[in-house]
Amino acid sequence: MQTTHLHHLLTAGPALRFAPPHTPWSRELRAVVQRLARVERTPLTTTSTATTTADGLRRERLAFASPLRGTFHGTVTAPADAGPPLPAVLVLGGKNARLEQLTGETPPDFPDRNVAEHLARAGFVTLSFEHGIGGGLDEERRAGRDEGALLAHAFALTGRSLLGALVGDALGALDVLAAHPWADPGRVGVFGHSLGAAVALHSALLAPRPLPVCAASHLGSYPALFARLLTGYEGAVLPGVLEYADLADLYGALAPAPLQLQYGTADSFLEPADARAAADAVRRAYASAGGDLEVHELAMGHGTHVGHAAAFFTRTLSGPAAAPADVPAQRIHFDVADRRAVLDRVDAALATGHLTQGPELARFEELSRTWTGVEGVAVASGAAALEIALRVIGVTNRTVLVPVNTFFATAAAAVRAGAAVRFVDIELDGLGLDPDALRAALDRHPDTAAVLPVHIGGIVPPSLTEVLALCAERGVPVVEDAAHALGSTLDGRFAGSFGRFGAFSFFPTKVAVSGEGGLVTCARPDADSGAAAADAEQVRRWRDHGKSAQGSTLHDRPGGNWRMSELHAAVGTVDLERFERTLAARRDLALAYDELLADVPGLRAHAVPSGARSNYYKYLAYPEGPVDRPLLKKRLRERHGVALAGEVYDHLLCDQPYFADTAPPADAEGPYEQARWFARHHIALPLYPTLTRAEQTRVVAALREELS
């Protein structure tokens, strides 16, 4: 019997049962829920169709327009005599609940069905809407079968779920409720009964900030509900979830957000002992997180104790609005569709056994060309890209000139390639090499083998033109350190296409990421295309242990293991496929910062020079006057929940311990006055594609307050 097979599967136990510490466990479980739910978030357009006041309540009838679901209806209910804004609750009824019964517009078929009305009379703004799982299928063909179950099966054909669709509606409705003029957006909770409780639970797990949740008549273990009691409902569960977590684990992952669980000992849909065991599991998770949990075992059937629900929301939504989440310095985001795309490509690599230098690598190199304009060879890191380029040039026992203001890896790559590193000051317009300082350095070091300009913060500086001319006069190759600058341009020409080589990084902090990874671009603008192709072949040999040809067992140079794996390339290809949107988002955010900072006294944004178009790897600004930067960053973090991004950079290379001990004294080459001024005075504001306008406004307000 297949029930025997099912029994073996159900006794295996989930892989992500609760285990302390709570925070990383909860984060991992929420990511699983996000992946399984595959919620398609689309904004709901709302139209008010009617507003009425009767029997002490105001009701506003809304029509929602969804690109996915079409038109459906909801109702906002609130006390007639209370002024806004009021605490608000999204009310999600069970499978058979009707909108007019939830809001009390028609008599409920059960005494506790009109939850939205009860909560409104208790002083809350409520929003309820139709689930849309009744009356949509042909009655004759349905032949008495449950419409929701049929919908759940049909959604499963597409790799999605009915619950995911319902959660998408609920998250859209939460946005509508928070934006409603009657509601306080900082004090919002979610109530759900039965199926609605499942929707409430999963919506809270995926919501951007913690929400108080009251869940009634939805508790127990999935094996009991779906295999023993046979009372589980297809629309109330995510396919595949039990591989990772049981129902109690999902509730536990909400901690420390306030949670109230209600279940009835006379509820025919659950088993009291199973519900008690689940409640105990939730208690353990909440105790570990120091969370706010209420569990009510009640002498009732498959219903709701409205009084307990109202008291819970009165307690948890009273007082001032909850503080918004912190604004981090960096936020790396792959949405569910992107993550699934990465997983599919990794799976293909694992299935074929082709784990390095395969089709994903070739695709990565092809995609990168869109943003460099020239051929590129993928390697293990940005540092590897620099070192390989310098080894192809041949810098052993000669001098390499680098800006004194750059990341340590720029100079370290030259050291590993056998060069003596000397430093050059920068100019403050585009933050590139200062041409006058470079000219002097070239005069001092006639053995210079290469010059490494760096495009700081994503700016390809106009001074690069003069740098290139100086180097061309002396026959010195240029290697662009474009680690910050993928997609940036100067006079319409991409970073990485100006010098003989360009070196890019795809480290997680960069504008495009592969986890670990780099790229060497081969331009040779002063030679024919064959020269660039020959350089690319040299790079490929160096990255693969110096093999004389791919697959050969002969080695003609001391290369290294500088390959990019297919697994990293899978991440990188997905990120490059969305890079056009990433770049547009970063530039839009930078423009918004320009506008917001225009009237902030004591703070000046760095102006990108004419002709340069930045990718805004960093949004740079300068506080005026003497400012203790570490103290400013500490106050922003502790008082405002705002983290500034890292500087580029706060220590000059000549001051790094390694070079302080091995390079000539700074005054022999320096004193690097412009680089020192920049290193001491700039700050970098948080900027990434998922940064919201509200978060930007908060960042600028915090800076205004601290610098005033």
Side-chain angles (χ1 to χ4, degrees):
M1 298 293 288
Q2 293 297 340
T3 52
T4 303
H5 186 182
L6 177 63
H7 175 74
H8 288 310
L9 293 174
L10 294 176
T11 55
L16 289 179
R17 283 284 196 195
F18 168 67
H22 184 277
T23 298
W25 168 79
S26 173
R27 187 182 299 120
E28 184 176 4
L29 187 51
R30 287 170 189 256
V32 168
V33 170
Q34 188 182 50
R35 188 175 75 247
L36 295 179
R38 295 185 70 179
V39 171
E40 297 175 89
R41 287 293 303 272
T42 56
L44 297 178
T45 303
T46 61
T47 305
S48 177
T49 59
T51 302
T52 61
T53 301
D55 197 21
L57 295 177
R58 284 187 295 173
R59 294 186 178 90
E60 182 181 22
R61 187 77 165 178
L62 299 177
F64 298 126
S66 165
L68 298 174
R69 184 176 161 184
T71 301
F72 61 104
H73 296 93
T75 301
V76 177
T77 309
D81 56 355
L86 296 173
V89 180
L90 179 66
V91 175
L92 301 166
K95 177 168 69 79
N96 299 317
R98 298 294 174 261
L99 180 59
E100 294 80 5
Q101 294 179 350
L102 288 171
T103 62
E105 295 168 89
T106 61
D109 53 354
F110 289 96
D112 56 7
R113 182 83 79 187
N114 54 334
V115 177
E117 177 188 3
H118 282 293
L119 290 177
R121 296 192 184 283
F124 299 95
V125 177
T126 66
L127 171 61
S128 309
F129 64 91
E130 304 162 340
H131 287 312
I133 53 176
L137 298 180
D138 182 271
E139 286 288 332
E140 184 177 349
R141 291 185 179 276
R142 190 163 63 84
R145 291 173 291 174
D146 181 81
E147 183 165 338
L150 295 174
L151 285 171
H153 297 156
F155 269 103
L157 289 173
T158 71
R160 290 169 172 79
S161 64
L162 176 57
L163 179 56
L166 297 174
V167 169
D169 292 342
L171 291 171
L174 277 168
D175 291 340
V176 171
L177 181 57
H180 197 279
W182 300 352
D184 182 343
R187 295 187 291 163
V188 177
V190 188
F191 167 85
H193 169 256
S194 190
L195 170 63
V199 178
L201 163 62
H202 290 81
S203 298
L205 286 170
L206 300 183
R209 63 184 181 88
L211 299 170
V213 174
C214 174
S217 299
H218 183 61
L219 188 61
S221 67
Y222 285 139
L225 295 172
F226 284 87
R228 189 169 74 249
L229 300 175
L230 305 182
T231 55
Y233 178 60
E234 293 95 326
V237 68
L238 294 175
V241 70
L242 193 56
E243 182 180 353
Y244 303 96
D246 207 339
L247 181 56
D249 301 307
L250 299 178
Y251 279 124
L254 292 174
L259 172 65
Q260 183 186 84
L261 298 173
Q262 303 181 9
Y263 66 96
T265 55
D267 188 342
S268 61
F269 287 86
L270 56 81
E271 186 178 76
D274 182 58
R276 287 188 199 105
D280 287 342
V282 180
R283 287 189 182 97
R284 288 192 291 273
Y286 261 74
S288 174
D292 180 348
L293 174 67
E294 297 179 16
V295 179
H296 296 280
E297 181 180 295
L298 304 165
M300 67 177 188
H302 193 67
T304 299
H305 192 296
V306 180
H308 285 327
F312 169 75
F313 286 119
T314 298
R315 179 175 64 80
T316 58
L317 296 178
S318 62
D326 289 351
V327 181
Q330 174 76 7
R331 185 187 291 142
I332 300 168
H333 178 72
F334 283 79
D335 65 21
V336 172
D338 293 332
R339 284 155 50 192
R340 290 178 65 89
V342 170
L343 291 173
D344 286 345
R345 295 172 199 194
V346 169
D347 184 69
L350 295 174
T352 61
H354 208 153
L355 299 181
T356 189
Q357 297 196 169
E360 287 303 315
L361 180 81
R363 174 70 172 152
F364 180 88
E365 292 176 344
E366 176 190 349
L367 289 167
S368 70
R369 188 163 190 158
T370 303
W371 303 104
T372 65
V374 295
E375 183 174 7
V377 180
V379 294
S381 68
L386 287 166
E387 183 174 345
I388 291 171
L390 292 171
R391 287 184 178 275
V392 173
I393 290 170
V395 299
T396 303
N397 297 324
R398 297 174 67 193
T399 297
V400 169
L401 300 178
V402 304
V404 71
N405 178 66
T406 184
F407 185 53
F408 184 78
T410 309
V415 172
R416 289 195 303 273
V421 175
R422 296 295 179 261
F423 305 125
V424 181
D425 204 0
I426 66 169
E427 44 83 19
L428 295 177
D429 182 31
L431 307 178
L433 285 169
D434 180 276
D436 292 335
L438 176 61
R439 183 181 293 105
L442 288 167
D443 289 341
R444 283 195 304 274
H445 303 287
D447 68 334
T448 297
V451 171
L452 271 62
V454 180
H455 307 324
I456 290 292
I459 300 171
V460 185
S463 61
L464 180 64
T465 302
E466 191 172 350
V467 167
L468 292 167
L470 285 170
C471 292
E473 288 172 6
R474 304 176 188 232
V476 176
V478 170
V479 178
E480 296 172 70
D481 184 339
H484 296 182
L486 185 71
S488 297
T489 61
L490 176 62
D491 297 328
R493 191 167 156 190
F494 283 117
S497 68
F498 293 89
R500 179 174 174 181
F501 294 106
F504 293 85
S505 170
F506 293 84
F507 188 71
T509 59
K510 300 303 189 288
V511 294
V513 305
S514 61
E516 295 284 358
L519 183 80
V520 183
T521 52
C522 306
R524 291 297 282 264
D526 56 339
D528 59 40
S529 59
D535 276 349
E537 178 58 27
Q538 295 294 312
V539 172
R540 292 187 182 95
R541 293 187 186 186
W542 278 101
R543 78 175 173 185
D544 193 17
H545 293 290
K547 291 180 181 177
S548 57
Q550 186 170 355
S552 173
T553 57
L554 299 176
H555 303 256
D556 59 13
R557 69 204 65 208
N561 179 4
W562 287 316
R563 299 180 297 264
M564 176 186 283
S565 77
E566 286 290 276
L567 310 186
H568 289 101
V571 177
T573 55
V574 169
D575 204 28
L576 285 174
E577 285 167 357
R578 65 179 187 174
F579 188 64
E580 184 174 8
R581 299 193 303 275
T582 298
L583 199 56
R586 298 186 80 93
R587 287 170 172 163
D588 287 346
L589 290 163
L591 181 61
Y593 268 140
D594 289 345
E595 296 169 352
L596 290 167
L597 291 175
D599 65 346
V600 176
L603 188 65
R604 172 176 60 88
H606 181 93
V608 175
S610 176
R613 194 169 189 215
S614 178
N615 64 11
Y616 290 98
Y617 170 63
K618 297 287 183 179
Y619 187 94
L620 302 172
Y622 305 99
E624 296 177 359
V627 173
D628 184 329
R629 186 168 58 194
L631 180 59
L632 172 64
K633 294 173 74 171
K634 182 174 185 288
R635 287 179 171 173
L636 289 170
R637 187 173 56 252
E638 295 178 353
R639 297 180 181 182
H640 306 277
V642 169
L644 293 183
E647 293 81 32
V648 282
Y649 291 87
D650 58 344
H651 294 290
L652 300 186
L653 286 180
C654 61
D655 299 328
Q656 292 287 350
Y658 174 82
F659 290 114
D661 294 338
T662 61
D667 56 3
E669 299 277 340
Y672 314 120
E673 292 178 353
Q674 295 175 125
R676 287 199 183 281
W677 184 93
F678 175 74
R680 289 169 179 163
H681 288 86
H682 77 280
I683 60 173
L685 278 57
L687 192 152
Y688 33 82
T690 57
L691 188 71
T692 66
R693 182 60 183 249
E695 288 174 323
Q696 284 190 286
T697 302
R698 185 172 158 204
V699 169
V700 173
L703 284 166
R704 185 192 300 273
E705 181 176 329
E706 293 301 330
L707 294 173
S708 62

